[in-house]
Structure formats: C-alpha cells, structure tokens
Amino acid sequence: MEIKKGQKYKILFVCLGNICRSPAAQGVMEQIIEEEHLGDLIEVDSAGILGYHSGELPDKRMRVHARMRGLELTHRSRQVKHEDFEKFDKIIGMDDANLDDLKDIAFTLEESKKIVGISKYFRLHKGHDCIPDPYYGGSEGFENVLDLLDDACRTIADEIKENKQL
Ligand code: 4NP
C-alpha cells in the first residue's frame, strides 16, 4: 500500500492482553518515529484480543524494562474492535494465536489482508517466528520482547521511508 500524500500510514499492534507486548510495540515504534522525524508519515496504536485489562496501564514489569531503555509506556489497554479494520492500514499480531483471533474478527478478504505477523519484520532475529508472551515468565522475557520489537520496528520504519508495501 502506497502512502497517499497528506495521509498517515496507520498501524495497530495487537497482542492478547494489550498490557505487555503491543503497548511496548507502540512505545518502541513511537520512539523511532520521533527519532527519525516520521510523525507526518506514521500513526500507531495498540489493542488486545482480550478486554480483561481495559483501561489499565501496561504491566509494571513491562514499564520497568521499557524505562531502562528510555521508554515511558503510557498507553491504556483496550480491546480490538471491528472498526479497527476500517481505520488501520496494517494490523500486526505478536504470535500465531493473535493472528487466528484477528482473522476471526475481520469480515472481508480486504480486511484479512491487513493482518500480518510481526516476525515478517525481523531482520536480526530471522529464526524467530513470534514475540513470546512474557506474562508468566521472568525478566529475560521482557528484555526479549524489547529486543525483538526494536528489530521489527526499525524494519517497519525503513520500509515506510522507502514507501514500500508493508
Ligand atoms: P500481552 O501479555 O498479551 O503481551 O499483553 C498478556 C497479558 C495478560 C494476559 C495474557 C497475556 N492475561 O491473560 O491476563
């Protein structure tokens, strides 16, 4: 999809709870957008398959690990909704379960085509096929999330800059 003149490319990151991986993805992407002055080109949001944590800030552990990299995560959790498929150009899931759940929410083929797995954008972590859920694990899981997200988000920024199809 080409970025049309005067329009932003809208990306929605999705995970299960919208309190760990996808709000971190949003934060990492927003930091890159700021660093690279891409604010006129890209808009980012995040949402969860589940609504259990709606209105909550990201998980404390995720915020602590993000802060260690200079990122302040302030997104409030929300559940993904069908209208997201109308608003966003690309809906990026963190693992295969997210992708299956997103496909169930899409109505049309055009909407389904907006869904993509984050692993498509790994350049330094090519052997990985998802961003594993860190929720029930230790601190290394949260660091892994941020490493993988940094890799993927830099690819996304580069591809948008080159105006490539994402
Ligand atoms: P996330 O992690 O999908 O990366 O936000 C999770 C957070 C909460 C739950 C599952 C995963 N939960 O079941 O409450």
Side-chain angles (χ1 to χ4, degrees), residues 38-55:
L38 299 172
D40 292 340
L41 284 183
I42 317 174
E43 185 178 319
V44 197
D45 193 8
S46 66
I49 298 296
L50 304 176
Y52 293 160
H53 298 278
S54 285

Side-chain angles (χ1 to χ4, degrees), residues 41-97:
L41 284 183
I42 317 174
E43 185 178 319
V44 197
D45 193 8
S46 66
I49 298 296
L50 304 176
Y52 293 160
H53 298 278
S54 285
E56 293 178 18
L57 280 171
D59 183 282
K60 180 86 192 288
R61 299 163 295 171
M62 193 72 253
R63 280 187 285 139
V64 166
H65 283 275
R67 197 173 291 138
M68 284 164 16
R69 301 187 187 205
L71 271 177
E72 207 58 44
L73 302 181
T74 57
H75 174 78
R76 295 278 174 175
S77 178
R78 72 167 180 90
Q79 190 169 21
V80 69
K81 51 187 189 288
H82 180 259
E83 296 87 272
D84 289 322
F85 283 85
E86 290 156 17
K87 173 173 179 183
F88 291 93
D89 298 301
K90 196 61 72 181
I91 299 182
I92 302 179
M94 300 293 129
D95 60 32
D96 285 348

Side-chain angles (χ1 to χ4, degrees), residues 19-34:
I19 55 166
C20 296
R21 293 166 290 174
S22 62
Q26 179 180 353
V28 169
M29 195 73 230
E30 285 174 346
Q31 192 180 50
I32 292 170
I33 289 169
E34 195 177 319

